[in-house]
Every structure is written in C-alpha cells, then in structure tokens.
Amino acid sequence: MEQVNIGLLGVGNVGGGTFQILKNNHDIISGRIGIEINVKKALTYSLNEERKIEIPLDILTTNADEILGDSDIDIIVEVLGGIEPATSYMIQAMKSGKHVVTANKAAVAANYEKLMATAKENNVMLLTEACVGGAIPALTSIKTALQGNRFYEVSGILNGTTNYIMSKMYDDGSAYEDVLKEAQAKGFAEANPTDDVMGYDVANKLSILMALTFGKYVSPKDIPTVGITNITKDDIELAKANNTKIKLIGSAVLSETGELGYSVKPVKINCDHPLFNVDNEFNAVYIKGDAFGELMYYGKGAGALPTGSAIVGDIISIINNIWR
Amino acid sequence: MEQVNIGLLGVGNVGGGTFQILKNNHDIISGRIGIEINVKKALTYSLNEERKIEIPLDILTTNADEILGDSDIDIIVEVLGGIEPATSYMIQAMKSGKHVVTANKAAVAANYEKLMATAKENNVMLLTEACVGGAIPALTSIKTALQGNRFYEVSGILNGTTNYIMSKMYDDGSAYEDVLKEAQAKGFAEANPTDDVMGYDVANKLSILMALTFGKYVSPKDIPTVGITNITKDDIELAKANNTKIKLIGSAVLSETGELGYSVKPVKINCDHPLFNVDNEFNAVYIKGDAFGELMYYGKGAGALPTGSAIVGDIISIINNIWR
C-alpha cells in the first residue's frame, strides 16, 4: 500500500490526540482511503517531557529543520500554537512543496492572506478545519456542500471556556469570578484565561470563518471584541427572566446593502433560537444562506481527540485530492 | 470559461429549486469554481405544465433519451422520485460515462448496491447528499471531515412532516388526526401521507446513512419500522410530564460487540439531548464517533431550495473532483 508521510510540529494536547487517532484507527483509515498514513517525525521541545500518550522516541526530534527539510515528508501538521515560529514553519513547509494542516487559529488569523497566497503560489493545500469549532466540520462544508449558496450570516459559540462559564452562571446563579475559579480547577479554563474570556480566541476564529464564507479577510485586531469579564449575576438573572441566555457570540452578517458587519460580544439569545441550548463546553456554528436557509452544527469545540479528528479529516482530504 | 452541462431529470419542486439556484447564483458559483454550470436540457411530463418557476421552453423535453443520449451532457441530476424509471435512468446515464446527482432516496435505498457498483464500474461519481436531511451536509462530512473516526452511531430526525405533527401535538395538546389535517391544509403533509407517517421515508434515509457511515447496506424493508399513527394525546402528555418529547427517530447504533442495531420508531428524547429542541419541520442528524465524540447537524430537511442546495453542492463536488 502506498504511504503518505506526516511531519508533526508539536506533540502537546492536540498533536498527541492526532497521533493517537492515526495510531488507533490506522487500519480503519487505510481501509477507507487505500493509503497508509505514517507519522515519520514529530517535533517536541524536550525529548524527556512527560506525555499523556506514548510516542516512540525514534520519531521525536527537537530540531524543526529535521522535519521541514525531510523530502520524504508530504504533509506538515502544525499544532504548536502561537503566531511564531508557527507561521514561518508553515511558509517554509509550503515553499518546499509540502501540504499543511493546522489547528493554530492565532497564526492563521494573523497571517491569513500571506499563508493562503503561499499555498497558491506553491500549488499546495493548506487546510484549517481544526482552527474553528474543534471537531465541527463547518469549514469543510462551507467549501463544498454549501457552495451553491449566497451566504448571509456566519455566527457561533466558538469558545468552550466562556460557554462553560456562561452556562454555570445561568444554571447555578454564581458570580463570574467563582465560576472562573471552578473552571480553572476542572481544566475547562487556562491558568491565564485572558485569550478566552476577553474574546480574542473567538475573534481569531471569526476572522477565519469570515474569510472562508465571505471571501473577505478582516484581521482579528480589527474585529470589535468584547469579552465576558463584566457580566454580572444580575445580567444573567435579567436575561433568564426574559427567557434568554447570554452567550459570547462571534458573528458576521451581510446587510441588505451588501455591507459585512462583524463583532465578538455577549449577546442575549432567545429561547427559540437553535444556539439557545448549546451549553457548557459545546460549540456551535450557525450559518444562513439563500438556498439552504439556516443550518447549525453542534459539537465539541476543543480537546485532544475532537480537534485531532478535524486534523485527520484534513489530512484525508489532502490525500483524496492529491494522491487519488 | 469552461462549461459543464447538466441534464435535469424532473422539474417539479426539487428540480425547479435546483434550476432556480443555478440561475440566480450563476455568477457567484462560476466565480467560486471557475467553471460555468449550464442546464442544457430538462425532462418534464408535459411541456404545458404550470410551474412555480420559469424554465425556458427550448430546454424542456418529454423524452428522457434526448437527455441520456446527449453526449454533451456531463452530469445528470435525477429528481423524478419513485424507484422506476429513475433507477434505470441513473444506470443508463452512468453506463454512458455521465456523473449522477440524485435526491431520490427511495430509488437509492432500494438499489444502493447496484447503483454504487455501476458508478464504480464506469468510473463516474454518484452523489446522494440531497437524499438525507435536505440541506444538511451530513453525508458530505461523514465522507470527508469525519473519516478519521470509528463511527458508533448515526441517528436523526429525518422527516419534516412527522416532526411537525409531533411538535404540534406537544405544543397544542391536539390529537394526531387533527394535527395531520392541519398539516395537510398547510402543505406540510401530503394528501396521501403514508410514506411519511408510517416511517417508510425515514427507513429509506436511514438505509443510505448506514451504508455510508458503517459500510453496511440494509434494505429499507429489512429495517424494523414503526410510524407515528398510534401515538395518542395521552402518550404525549406522559412524555411531557417526564421532561421528554416523542420524536420519530431513525437510528443505527454499533454495539460493544460490533453488532449494528437499527430501527425507525417513536422514541422519548430527554430534555438534555441535542435532538430535544429540533422541532416543527426541521431535521437533524446526530452522529457519534471515537474521536469527535458527538456531533449534530440541524437544518431544513425538505423544500425546493434546501434540497436544491444539497444538489448544487454535489454538482460542485463533482466538478471540483473531475474538472480541476
């Protein structure tokens, strides 16, 4: 069976999940696509790091050039996080003819045009499904099944940490600070939650969603962004009394005159809206189009395996496009 | 710009919707894919039929052979409904090297293996997204973005008529017969609602979903199927008192020992399940996999434009696969 070689940049949470799926489901995947996916090398910061999943020592390296310069490697999976050196690595990979799959929303949102142009110039694929909504296959279907439509809106609950906090405040009537501490203790929020609670993570995701849906790139720093840090118990009670829930929503809407409006901010969602029941760590992407009307995708927006699922889906898409 | 020619078998509700999308969104679609989609001929039962949308008389024909035998036509869209002559037309088209897109769940479910084998033998594509859940892009993403997963379950609310009836019985406390009459008056139920209310339509859709998800074809007539005709006001009240709703669910679940169980029947859905809030004419597909966990798609399961959206998506997928 023909073999496609993967170079994994990063073996943390998402990189580990990706490795685990490719290993555990190796036979089922090669049975489906008729090609074997082999993780040839993986970049780590330290060879002795403790890992949740076992990765053979002989594929690990601390030197990115060993991966980026390996002409046997066909596809680079970039899951380092952070804008640099991730962006430079992706560009270097594409310039040497490698396809790239990434879950790094910060890097993609910051350098979207440069990255896409590099993919085009070098005639390689750059796929980003894992950047938005974890396992939710929204980007894939916007690019395929929904392409007959004029799009009107793409919105969503795009951050699990803040949705968990909003849900607990609603359910338990607790204060923001108390729920945040509980979420940190349970691992649903980072020790430094700034990117999540200030809405910056959602702005990155919305920037990517908008670029794909409307063909218009807006830098995340140009998206008006308000987080959830000022929401009080009273705000939540008032919303509840009006049969609404407050959710942190990233939203891009085309006006009737063709102008694109966009923002990240807490929004009151009515109880009859499909987003109303998307609670806790779940994410949802909501889209409107002239033919399909409205669609919503609901699923896990983060985590090693859900995000790994999107990455493996992108690897398979590249193989189906290029090797078959 | 290169042109791909479509032959439309059927210009009723769904065929008309497909034509309308291809016409209204002609420029936006050709801008996206770099190829022009042209409906060259369309089959109708009568040239003088009244139609909701205008179709130029010079592309209409009452003779299927004029379409199937036209070597300039690249893709056949089959939206006739009914098992025959639709199946024979699709097979004839594929044998002469044409790709096929269909919304005809009855024909595909009845002849799944024969149709797929014919596509394979003739090295053409046969796409069926529009057969299941209208605009919902479930099949597309099961075949692409989710392919890294071992699947455990595929279930759903797959029929708008019965979901509308169940929703009205729940909301208004009305009897089945009364709601059915109201649904017929509003156009949400057919004059002869047998296929819908007896669950046969859902069995067709489940057969296709299962074949794609689990690689196992089960004829719809071998799927244990119970409709909604015996559900009483008391059943609904009892379900409501227990914080559940009764929904007609098509479901296929892999047991821990690897056996596939499947059925179509009314099921009590708990209020914390994502399917609980899928009401009225909306459909939803719910999937479980080992990596993504759980996913739900929510959208319009029927109608000229939503179903047409799925058909146009399939046409674009074929063009992206074959022409580019």
Side-chain angles (χ1 to χ4, degrees):
Chain A
M1 199 178 278
E2 200 182 345
Q3 193 166 292
V4 168
N5 286 318
I6 306 290
L8 204 51
L9 299 181
V11 284
N13 191 34
V14 173
T18 304
F19 185 84
Q20 197 180 336
I21 297 169
L22 288 173
K23 188 179 161 206
N24 291 355
N25 293 354
H26 176 271
D27 294 354
I28 206 170
I29 295 171
S30 53
R32 282 173 182 159
I33 65 175
I35 280 176
E36 259 188 304
I37 302 174
N38 172 48
V39 180
K40 196 182 173 207
K41 280 177 192 155
L43 180 69
T44 179
Y45 291 112
S46 154
L47 294 173
N48 308 315
E49 211 168 279
E50 232 179 84
R51 268 176 264 280
K52 279 186 213 152
I53 57 137
E54 215 177 299
I55 297 182
L57 259 180
D58 61 330
I59 70 165
L60 286 172
T61 172
T62 56
N63 179 1
D65 285 332
E66 265 191 45
I67 298 177
L68 296 167
D70 184 336
S71 60
D72 285 346
I73 289 179
D74 309 292
I75 301 173
I76 292 290
V77 173
E78 187 279 303
V79 283
L80 291 167
I83 294 175
E84 284 298 349
T87 302
S88 301
Y89 287 168
M90 288 193 272
I91 288 172
Q92 190 183 336
M94 291 190 281
K95 283 188 170 164
S96 45
K98 298 185 197 314
H99 308 280
V100 172
V101 173
T102 180
N104 189 335
K105 51 239 166 199
V108 174
N111 298 296
Y112 188 85
E113 290 175 311
K114 170 93 179 144
L115 286 165
M116 291 300 161
T118 307
K120 206 172 171 185
E121 279 157 21
N122 294 281
N123 204 21
V124 295
M125 292 177 76
L126 167 63
L127 294 185
T128 61
E129 181 64 86
C131 293
V132 180
I136 294 174
L139 302 193
T140 302
S141 61
I142 289 170
K143 285 189 294 183
T144 57
L146 309 181
Q147 278 287 291
N149 287 261
R150 196 176 296 270
F151 294 105
Y152 294 143
E153 174 177 351
V154 62
S155 299
I157 295 171
L158 301 171
N159 180 276
T161 302
T162 47
N163 203 39
Y164 177 85
I165 293 173
M166 293 284 90
S167 297
K168 286 291 159 203
M169 286 178 75
Y170 181 94
D171 289 345
D172 307 343
S174 319
Y176 169 75
E177 292 76 16
D178 298 333
V179 180
L180 175 59
K181 269 181 213 143
E182 188 203 322
Q184 285 170 321
K186 285 190 177 166
F188 286 134
E190 311 259 351
N192 178 354
T194 309
D195 271 3
D196 293 322
V197 298
M198 297 297 288
Y200 304 148
D201 175 71
V202 176
N204 285 333
K205 291 164 177 170
L206 183 63
S207 167
I208 299 170
L209 261 182
M210 265 200 291
L212 209 92
T213 309
F214 296 106
K216 182 182 168 73
Y217 168 68
V218 179
S219 166
K221 58 182 193 300
D222 296 329
I223 297 174
T225 299
V226 179
I228 62 163
T229 49
N230 292 326
I231 293 174
T232 63
K233 276 162 75 163
D234 287 352
D235 295 332
I236 301 278
E237 284 312 313
L238 185 62
K240 206 171 188 171
N242 292 321
N243 278 323
T244 63
K245 282 181 189 169
I246 301 177
K247 300 278 186 194
L248 182 62
I249 301 290
S251 178
V253 180
L254 205 65
S255 75
E256 279 179 28
T257 56
E259 260 175 296
L260 193 62
Y262 40 84
S263 66
V264 176
K265 64 183 181 199
V267 173
K268 280 183 191 158
I269 302 289
N270 275 320
C271 63
D272 59 353
H273 194 283
L275 291 173
F276 183 80
N277 274 289
V278 178
D279 289 324
N280 298 313
E281 74 275 27
F282 279 90
N283 280 20
V285 177
Y286 176 82
I287 322 177
K288 280 186 170 177
D290 64 347
F292 63 77
E294 50 178 338
L295 269 173
M296 191 185 75
Y297 305 76
Y298 166 97
K300 289 187 179 159
L305 293 179
T307 311
S309 168
I311 289 173
V312 175
D314 275 353
I315 294 173
I316 292 173
S317 283
I318 291 174
I319 293 174
N320 283 341
N321 262 280
I322 307 289
W323 272 262
R324 295 167 81 185
Chain B
M1 200 178 276
E2 200 182 348
Q3 192 165 293
V4 167
N5 286 317
I6 306 289
L8 204 50
L9 300 181
V11 285
N13 191 35
V14 173
T18 304
F19 185 85
Q20 198 180 334
I21 296 169
L22 289 173
K23 189 180 160 204
N24 291 354
N25 293 354
H26 176 271
D27 294 353
I28 206 169
I29 295 171
S30 53
R32 283 173 182 159
I33 65 175
I35 280 176
E36 259 189 305
I37 301 174
N38 172 46
V39 179
K40 194 181 174 206
K41 280 177 192 158
L43 181 68
T44 179
Y45 291 113
S46 154
L47 294 175
N48 308 315
E49 211 169 277
E50 232 180 84
R51 268 175 265 280
K52 279 185 215 154
I53 56 137
E54 214 177 299
I55 297 181
L57 259 180
D58 61 330
I59 71 164
L60 286 172
T61 171
T62 57
N63 179 3
D65 285 331
E66 265 192 45
I67 298 177
L68 296 167
D70 184 336
S71 60
D72 286 346
I73 288 178
D74 309 292
I75 301 173
I76 293 290
V77 173
E78 185 279 303
V79 283
L80 290 166
I83 295 175
E84 284 297 350
T87 303
S88 301
Y89 287 169
M90 288 193 270
I91 288 173
Q92 190 184 335
M94 291 190 279
K95 284 189 170 162
S96 45
K98 298 185 197 314
H99 307 279
V100 172
V101 173
T102 179
N104 188 335
K105 51 240 166 197
V108 174
N111 297 296
Y112 188 85
E113 290 176 310
K114 171 91 179 147
L115 286 165
M116 291 299 161
T118 307
K120 204 172 173 185
E121 280 157 23
N122 294 282
N123 203 23
V124 295
M125 293 177 74
L126 167 62
L127 294 184
T128 62
E129 181 63 87
C131 292
V132 180
I136 294 174
L139 302 192
T140 301
S141 61
I142 289 170
K143 285 189 295 184
T144 58
L146 308 180
Q147 278 287 291
N149 287 262
R150 198 176 294 271
F151 294 105
Y152 294 144
E153 174 176 351
V154 61
S155 298
I157 295 171
L158 301 171
N159 180 276
T161 303
T162 49
N163 202 39
Y164 177 84
I165 293 173
M166 293 284 89
S167 297
K168 285 291 160 204
M169 286 178 77
Y170 180 95
D171 290 344
D172 307 343
S174 319
Y176 169 75
E177 292 75 15
D178 298 333
V179 180
L180 174 60
K181 268 180 215 146
E182 188 203 323
Q184 286 170 321
K186 284 190 177 167
F188 286 133
E190 311 259 349
N192 178 355
T194 309
D195 271 3
D196 293 322
V197 298
M198 297 298 286
Y200 304 148
D201 175 70
V202 176
N204 284 333
K205 291 164 176 169
L206 182 63
S207 167
I208 298 169
L209 261 181
M210 266 200 288
L212 208 92
T213 309
F214 296 106
K216 182 182 165 73
Y217 169 68
V218 179
S219 165
K221 58 182 193 299
D222 296 329
I223 297 174
T225 299
V226 178
I228 61 162
T229 50
N230 292 326
I231 293 175
T232 64
K233 276 162 73 163
D234 287 352
D235 295 331
I236 301 277
E237 284 311 311
L238 186 62
K240 206 171 189 171
N242 292 320
N243 278 323
T244 64
K245 282 181 189 169
I246 301 177
K247 300 279 186 193
L248 182 64
I249 301 288
S251 178
V253 179
L254 205 64
S255 75
E256 281 180 25
T257 56
E259 260 174 297
L260 193 63
Y262 40 84
S263 66
V264 175
K265 65 184 181 200
V267 172
K268 280 182 191 158
I269 302 289
N270 276 320
C271 62
D272 58 352
H273 193 285
L275 291 173
F276 184 81
N277 274 290
V278 179
D279 288 324
N280 298 314
E281 75 275 27
F282 279 90
N283 279 19
V285 177
Y286 176 83
I287 322 178
K288 280 186 170 175
D290 63 349
F292 64 77
E294 51 178 337
L295 270 173
M296 191 184 77
Y297 305 76
Y298 166 97
K300 288 186 180 161
L305 293 178
T307 310
S309 168
I311 289 173
V312 175
D314 275 352
I315 293 172
I316 292 172
S317 283
I318 291 173
I319 292 173
N320 283 341
N321 261 280
I322 307 289
W323 273 263
R324 293 168 82 183

